[in-house]
Amino acid sequence: MKKILILTFVLAFLSCAEDKKNLTPSETVKIVLKGLHSKDDSTLKKHTTPDGYTSLKMIENYIPEENDATFEILDESVKEETAWVKYSTSYDGKAGVFKLTKVNGQWKVDSKGPRERGPF
Protein backbone atom coordinates (compact mmCIF):
# COMPACT_ATOMS: atom_id res chain seq x y z
CA MET A 1 0.00 0.00 0.00
CA LYS A 2 2.85 2.36 0.86
CA LYS A 3 4.48 1.77 -2.55
CA ILE A 4 1.24 2.64 -4.35
CA LEU A 5 0.90 5.85 -2.35
CA ILE A 6 4.48 6.87 -3.15
CA LEU A 7 4.04 6.02 -6.82
CA THR A 8 0.81 8.04 -6.96
CA PHE A 9 2.57 11.01 -5.35
CA VAL A 10 5.49 10.82 -7.79
CA LEU A 11 3.18 10.60 -10.82
CA ALA A 12 1.08 13.54 -9.58
CA PHE A 13 4.24 15.59 -9.05
CA LEU A 14 5.56 14.78 -12.53
CA SER A 15 2.26 15.64 -14.21
CA CYS A 16 2.15 19.00 -12.41
CA ALA A 17 5.77 19.67 -13.33
CA GLU A 18 4.97 19.03 -17.01
CA ASP A 19 2.18 21.63 -16.95
CA LYS A 20 4.64 24.23 -15.63
CA LYS A 21 7.19 23.61 -18.40
CA ASN A 22 8.31 26.89 -19.88
CA LEU A 23 7.64 26.65 -23.57
CA THR A 24 9.48 28.81 -26.06
CA PRO A 25 7.41 31.19 -28.19
CA SER A 26 7.84 28.85 -31.20
CA GLU A 27 6.71 25.80 -29.21
CA THR A 28 3.67 27.75 -28.01
CA VAL A 29 2.77 28.73 -31.59
CA LYS A 30 2.97 25.10 -32.75
CA ILE A 31 0.59 24.06 -29.96
CA VAL A 32 -1.81 26.90 -30.77
CA LEU A 33 -1.79 26.11 -34.50
CA LYS A 34 -2.58 22.46 -33.79
CA GLY A 35 -5.30 23.50 -31.34
CA LEU A 36 -6.77 25.94 -33.85
CA HIS A 37 -6.73 23.32 -36.59
CA SER A 38 -8.41 20.70 -34.39
CA LYS A 39 -10.79 23.26 -32.83
CA ASP A 40 -9.49 22.38 -29.35
CA ASP A 41 -10.86 25.17 -27.15
CA SER A 42 -9.09 24.07 -23.97
CA THR A 43 -5.69 24.15 -25.70
CA LEU A 44 -6.43 27.54 -27.23
CA LYS A 45 -7.53 29.01 -23.90
CA LYS A 46 -4.47 27.63 -22.11
CA HIS A 47 -1.97 29.09 -24.59
CA THR A 48 -3.56 32.43 -25.48
CA THR A 49 -4.48 35.66 -23.74
CA PRO A 50 -8.22 36.45 -23.61
CA ASP A 51 -7.82 38.87 -26.56
CA GLY A 52 -5.74 36.32 -28.48
CA TYR A 53 -8.37 33.63 -27.89
CA THR A 54 -11.16 35.91 -29.14
CA SER A 55 -9.18 36.75 -32.28
CA LEU A 56 -8.46 33.09 -33.05
CA LYS A 57 -12.06 32.04 -32.48
CA MET A 58 -13.14 34.58 -35.12
CA ILE A 59 -10.99 32.90 -37.78
CA GLU A 60 -11.40 29.28 -36.63
CA ASN A 61 -14.16 28.47 -39.13
CA TYR A 62 -11.95 29.60 -42.03
CA ILE A 63 -9.32 26.96 -41.28
CA PRO A 64 -9.74 24.02 -43.68
CA GLU A 65 -10.24 20.57 -42.20
CA GLU A 66 -7.07 18.90 -43.38
CA ASN A 67 -6.06 15.73 -41.52
CA ASP A 68 -2.38 15.94 -42.42
CA ALA A 69 -1.80 19.67 -41.94
CA THR A 70 1.78 20.64 -41.19
CA PHE A 71 3.23 23.74 -39.57
CA GLU A 72 6.69 25.22 -39.91
CA ILE A 73 8.30 27.94 -37.82
CA LEU A 74 10.12 30.37 -40.12
CA ASP A 75 11.46 32.97 -37.70
CA GLU A 76 11.26 34.13 -34.09
CA SER A 77 12.04 37.45 -32.45
CA VAL A 78 11.98 37.96 -28.68
CA LYS A 79 12.38 41.25 -26.85
CA GLU A 80 11.72 41.25 -23.12
CA GLU A 81 8.06 40.24 -22.55
CA THR A 82 6.99 40.27 -26.23
CA ALA A 83 7.78 37.78 -28.97
CA TRP A 84 6.86 37.48 -32.63
CA VAL A 85 6.80 34.15 -34.46
CA LYS A 86 6.55 33.83 -38.24
CA TYR A 87 5.12 30.51 -39.42
CA SER A 88 3.75 28.74 -42.47
CA THR A 89 1.08 26.09 -42.79
CA SER A 90 0.47 23.49 -45.46
CA TYR A 91 -2.98 24.93 -46.16
CA ASP A 92 -2.13 28.63 -46.56
CA GLY A 93 -0.04 30.09 -49.33
CA LYS A 94 1.41 32.93 -47.28
CA ALA A 95 3.25 33.12 -43.98
CA GLY A 96 1.51 34.25 -40.83
CA VAL A 97 2.80 36.01 -37.74
CA PHE A 98 1.69 35.63 -34.13
CA LYS A 99 2.45 38.10 -31.38
CA LEU A 100 3.08 36.51 -27.99
CA THR A 101 3.10 38.07 -24.55
CA LYS A 102 4.65 36.60 -21.43
CA VAL A 103 1.97 36.12 -18.77
CA ASN A 104 3.02 34.75 -15.37
CA GLY A 105 6.20 33.36 -16.93
CA GLN A 106 4.38 31.59 -19.79
CA TRP A 107 4.29 32.66 -23.45
CA LYS A 108 0.75 33.19 -24.73
CA VAL A 109 -0.48 34.12 -28.20
CA ASP A 110 -1.92 37.63 -28.03
CA SER A 111 -3.71 39.87 -30.50
CA LYS A 112 -1.89 42.62 -32.36
CA GLY A 113 -3.05 46.20 -32.05
CA PRO A 114 -4.49 47.80 -35.21
CA ARG A 115 -1.29 49.72 -36.01
CA GLU A 116 1.15 47.38 -34.34
CA ARG A 117 3.83 45.91 -36.56
CA GLY A 118 6.22 43.12 -35.73
CA PRO A 119 9.83 42.73 -36.85
CA PHE A 120 9.06 40.68 -39.97
Side-chain angles (χ1 to χ4, degrees), residues 33-94:
L33 286 169
K34 289 176 184 175
L36 183 62
H37 183 279
S38 64
K39 298 178 178 21
D40 182 351
D41 279 347
S42 63
T43 295
L44 291 177
K45 284 181 181 178
K46 182 177 179 180
H47 297 285
T48 60
T49 64
D51 286 343
Y53 175 78
T54 301
S55 296
L56 290 176
K57 289 303 286 181
M58 288 192 306
I59 65 164
E60 184 178 59
N61 291 328
Y62 298 105
I63 305 295
E65 293 185 28
E66 190 177 301
N67 292 334
D68 57 346
T70 58
F71 314 101
E72 182 181 358
I73 300 301
L74 303 174
D75 205 351
E76 175 182 281
S77 174
V78 179
K79 186 174 182 181
E80 298 173 11
E81 302 293 307
T82 303
W84 298 85
V85 175
K86 187 176 185 178
Y87 65 90
S88 67
T89 64
S90 58
Y91 53 81
D92 193 358
K94 64 179 187 167

